[in-house]
Amino acid sequence: MSQGAARARRNEALLAYALLFPSLVFLGLFTYLPILRSFWFSLHDVMLGDPDIFWMGADNYLRLIDDHLFWKVFANTAFYTLTTIPLAVTVALLMAVALDSKLRGLAVYRSAFFYPVMIPSVAAGMVWVFLYAPGYGPINEALTALGLPRLDWLYDSAWALPAIVLMSIWKYSGYFMLILLAALKLVPSDLYEAARLDGVSAPQRLLHITIPLISPTLYFVIVIGILHSYQIFDYVYVMTQGGPADATNVLTFYIYQNGFQYQDIGYASTLANTLLVFVLA
C-alpha cells in the first residue's frame, strides 16, 4: 500500500473516531460509568443521603440469596414475561395478518390498533385502574351482564398480576403489530396465491408460509418485548404499588423500594446488577 493510500485510510479512521467521540463520551458517562458505580455500591453498605460508606464485600449478594421476597419478585417478573410476550406477539401477529388483507378502511383499523401505544404509560395505568374498579368498573359490569362473578382484580393477589398482564398486552400489541405488518409487506403475494390454488387453508398458510418468512422480524419483536418486560415499573407503581401482599412486585419496583423507600442503596445496586445479568442473558 502506498504512503498516500495509508495516509488517506488513517485520516478516514481519525474522522470516524472524531464523529463517534461525542456518542462514546455520552455512552460512557451515562451507561458504563453508572454500571461500574452500581457494582461498587453493591460491595458496600451505602444509605441514601449518608456520606459514610462501609465495605461489605459479597455480603449483599449473600443476602440476596437468602431474601425470600427477592425470589417471589423474581417469580413475578418471570410470570409477567412468560405470559405477556407470547400473548402480545400472538395478538400482534393476528392483527398484522388481518390488516395485511384487503380490508376497507384499513387506515382506521391500523390507527385504532396502534392508538394504545401512543397513550402515556401513567395515563393508561390510571384508565385501567378505573376499568378494573370492583364496584363500578366497566369490566365487572360486563362480567355481571354475562352472568359471571365480579372480581376484585387489583385488590386480589390471585388476579392482580394477570390484570397487569392483560393491560400490557393491550398496550404493546399495537407496537409489535406495526413491525410485523411491515415485514408482511415484504412477503411475495404469489406464494399465497399458489397456496390458495393448491387448497391450503388460511391457518396452514400462516404456519408454513407467513411465520417462516418473517421469523427474523418475529425474533426481533420477541427480544424487544423481553427487554421491555424486565423493565416494567410504571404500571406497577401507578396501579398496585407492588401489592397486594407483593403479588405484583417485580424486580424494577423492588429496586425502587430498596433504593428510595428503604434508602438502602447498596442492596438496591445488588438487585440492579442482578437485573442487568438477566437482561444480558
Side-chain angles (χ1 to χ4, degrees), residues 68-103:
H68 297 291
L69 182 54
F70 164 75
W71 294 109
K72 182 175 183 178
V73 166
F74 176 76
N76 290 341
T77 307
F79 175 85
Y80 177 84
T81 301
L82 295 176
T83 53
T84 302
I85 303 309
L87 292 174
V89 172
T90 300
V91 171
L93 178 60
L94 295 177
M95 290 192 302
V97 170
L99 293 180
D100 192 45
S101 59
K102 305 300 181 182
L103 292 176

Side-chain angles (χ1 to χ4, degrees), residues 202-230:
Q204 289 176 324
R205 293 197 298 270
L206 175 64
L207 184 63
H208 298 291
I209 297 177
T210 304
I211 292 179
L213 290 178
I214 66 168
S215 56
T217 306
L218 273 174
Y219 177 73
F220 170 77
V221 166
I222 291 171
V223 170
I224 293 297
I226 291 174
L227 292 177
H228 170 77
S229 68
Y230 275 124

Side-chain angles (χ1 to χ4, degrees), residues 108-235:
V108 175
Y109 290 115
R110 188 180 302 170
S111 300
F113 291 154
F114 188 74
Y115 182 73
V117 182
M118 298 185 292
I119 301 176
S121 299
V122 174
M126 295 303 297
V127 168
W128 278 82
V129 168
F130 165 73
L131 294 177
Y132 283 134
Y136 54 85
I139 294 179
N140 272 334
E141 293 294 334
L143 291 176
T144 301
L146 295 173
L148 299 174
R150 289 173 173 259
L151 298 173
D152 287 335
W153 293 111
L154 301 177
Y155 302 96
D156 187 339
S157 58
W159 285 101
L161 190 55
I164 294 179
V165 168
L166 180 62
M167 182 263 184
S168 300
I169 293 170
W170 167 84
K171 185 74 168 66
Y172 291 104
S173 293
Y175 174 66
F176 297 156
M177 175 210 69
L178 203 64
I179 299 174
L180 294 174
L181 185 60
L184 288 175
K185 295 298 182 184
L186 301 178
V187 178
S189 58
D190 54 352
L191 294 177
Y192 294 114
E193 189 62 32
R196 290 191 193 95
L197 294 176
D198 289 338
V200 179
S201 63
Q204 289 176 324
R205 293 197 298 270
L206 175 64
L207 184 63
H208 298 291
I209 297 177
T210 304
I211 292 179
L213 290 178
I214 66 168
S215 56
T217 306
L218 273 174
Y219 177 73
F220 170 77
V221 166
I222 291 171
V223 170
I224 293 297
I226 291 174
L227 292 177
H228 170 77
S229 68
Y230 275 124
Q231 302 173 54
I232 176 179
F233 172 82
D234 37 13
Y235 308 141

